[in-house]
């Protein structure tokens, strides 16, 4: 596999697979977020696409969340808000797409990655795909992904994850509704994703589009809500607390 970050898509028999990758545990810098939002939006508007499969590259982490390399370079509010709007745009693209989004999770999920999982319509995961909302540890809080997480698992579970900012295991995630099912290995995971995608692709596009509207009813204000939340994170990321945390984290991970 190439060590270059990418977002790519392919459509086979109406199943559009959208894959993102970053060499740092599939972290999400602004460029990847922008491409991911646009790719999902395009797939949703493509009449030849019947269902979308979202996945990340590699066999380890599904997504490490926001790119620390990019976060530490933010020195102005507008740039901070713009960065977190990247997550908002991906979540909004996922909820607005008139196609079901089936997500394949092959490993651990952190921060913004939990937002991607939460904004998905149906999720299969490999065993060991634990999750955590680490944002409070950084001094920013899970503000942008919060509405999607709360919608998926409820306010209590979202509150626990946000305040504790520790790992929550795969079985807990399945019990709460993040995952539909867990699989022992990647072969079984891929088989389940492929079979379910084919099943969805054989259905009525109109019925699926109308059902998706019903499923996401009550989120019509998210364009404005997530922009407001991006502003909160954009302000907090400028703090000395956040800068110091990221600096120390990067030092530890160089050892």
């Amino acid at each position: 596999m190439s060590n270059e970050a990418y977002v790519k898509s392919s459509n086979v028999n109406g199943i559009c697979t959208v894959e993102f990758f970053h060499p740092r545990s599939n972290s999400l810098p602004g460029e990847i977020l922008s491409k991911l939002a646009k790719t999902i939006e395009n797939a949703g508007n493509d009449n030849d696409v019947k269902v979308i499969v979202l996945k990340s590259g590699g066999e380890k982490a599904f997504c490490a969340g926001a790119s620390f390399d990019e976060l530490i370079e933010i020195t102005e509010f507008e740039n901070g808000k713009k960065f977190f709007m990247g997550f908002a745009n991906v979540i909004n693209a996922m909820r607005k797409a008139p196609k079901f989004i089936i997500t394949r999770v092959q490993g651990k999920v952190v921060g913004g990655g939990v937002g991607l999982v939460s904004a998905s319509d149906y999720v299969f995961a490999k065993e060991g795909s634990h999750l955590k909302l680490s944002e409070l540890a950084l001094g920013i809080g899970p503000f942008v992904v919060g509405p999607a997480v709360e919608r998926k698992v409820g306010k209590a579970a979202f509150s626990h994850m946000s305040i504790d900012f520790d790992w929550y295991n795969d079985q807990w995630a399945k019990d709460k509704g993040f995952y539909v099912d867990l699989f022992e290995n990647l072969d079984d995971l891929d088989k389940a994703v492929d079979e379910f995608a084919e099943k969805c692709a054989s259905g009525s596009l109109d019925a699926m589009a109308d059902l998706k509207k019903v499923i996401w009813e009550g989120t019509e204000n998210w364009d404005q809500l997530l922009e407001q939340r991006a502003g909160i994170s954009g302000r907090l990321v400028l703090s000395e607390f956040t800068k110091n945390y990221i600096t120390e984290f990067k030092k530890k991970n160089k050892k």
Side-chain angles (χ1 to χ4, degrees):
M1 174 184 291
S2 169
N3 208 37
E4 296 292 324
Y6 64 76
V7 175
K8 62 184 181 181
S9 65
S10 62
N11 182 11
V12 179
N13 297 325
I15 300 171
C16 180
T17 299
V18 176
E19 180 177 324
F20 67 92
F21 172 76
H22 192 281
R24 296 199 177 210
S25 301
N26 289 323
S27 60
L28 296 168
E31 184 177 4
I32 292 293
L33 289 167
S34 179
K35 289 180 179 178
L36 192 55
K38 191 62 179 176
T39 302
I40 292 170
E41 181 182 356
N42 289 342
N45 292 331
D46 188 341
N47 292 330
D48 292 328
V49 172
K50 298 179 179 179
V51 65
I52 299 169
V53 172
L54 178 64
K55 62 187 293 188
S56 61
E59 297 183 354
K60 296 183 179 180
F62 170 73
C63 180
S67 167
F68 277 15
D69 289 340
E70 196 157 330
L71 283 180
I72 203 167
E73 295 298 325
I74 295 172
T75 58
E76 297 178 358
F77 168 75
E78 288 302 327
N79 290 337
K81 180 180 177 181
K82 180 180 178 181
F83 175 80
F84 288 102
M85 276 302 298
F87 287 97
N89 292 336
V90 173
I91 291 171
N92 280 324
M94 293 176 72
R95 75 175 177 88
K96 291 178 182 179
K99 320 284 169 66
F100 293 144
I101 298 179
I102 304 163
T103 296
R104 170 195 183 271
V105 177
Q106 80 279 17
K108 291 181 176 179
V109 190
V110 180
V114 180
L116 299 185
V117 169
S118 300
S120 304
D121 299 303
Y122 216 87
V123 183
F124 294 112
K126 181 179 175 293
E127 291 178 0
S129 297
H130 310 318
L131 309 93
K132 73 173 175 178
L133 289 175
S134 57
E135 287 90 341
L136 191 61
L138 277 71
I140 55 177
F143 296 106
V144 176
V145 303
V149 179
E150 183 178 337
R151 171 187 169 274
K152 177 70 75 173
V153 298
K155 186 178 288 291
F158 167 61
S159 297
H160 296 163
M161 293 182 75
S162 301
I163 296 169
D164 187 18
F165 59 84
D166 202 351
W167 290 105
Y168 284 74
N169 69 37
D170 52 0
Q171 188 59 52
W172 182 91
K174 180 177 181 292
D175 292 343
K176 292 298 181 183
F178 280 111
Y179 306 144
V180 174
D181 208 350
L182 296 168
F183 299 88
E184 184 177 355
N185 55 64
L186 291 177
D187 288 340
D188 289 345
L189 172 63
D190 288 333
K191 181 180 179 183
V193 171
D194 291 344
E195 289 179 351
F196 192 74
E198 290 173 4
K199 178 181 179 181
C200 288
S202 68
S204 162
L205 279 176
D206 290 337
M208 285 189 282
D210 285 339
L211 180 56
K212 178 135 184 183
K213 288 180 182 178
V214 170
I215 291 171
W216 283 88
E217 190 174 3
T219 66
E220 294 81 6
N221 68 326
W222 278 22
D223 283 340
Q224 295 77 28
L225 175 62
L226 298 192
E227 181 176 358
Q228 292 171 1
R229 297 291 186 86
I232 298 174
S233 293
R235 169 175 53 83
L236 291 172
V237 77
L238 302 176
S239 71
E240 287 300 315
F241 184 100
T242 297
K243 301 298 184 186
N244 291 337
Y245 179 94
I246 295 175
T247 299
E248 291 303 314
F249 181 90
K250 289 168 72 66
K251 285 180 182 178
K252 289 178 183 178
N253 282 269
K254 283 183 179 180
K255 295 179 180 178

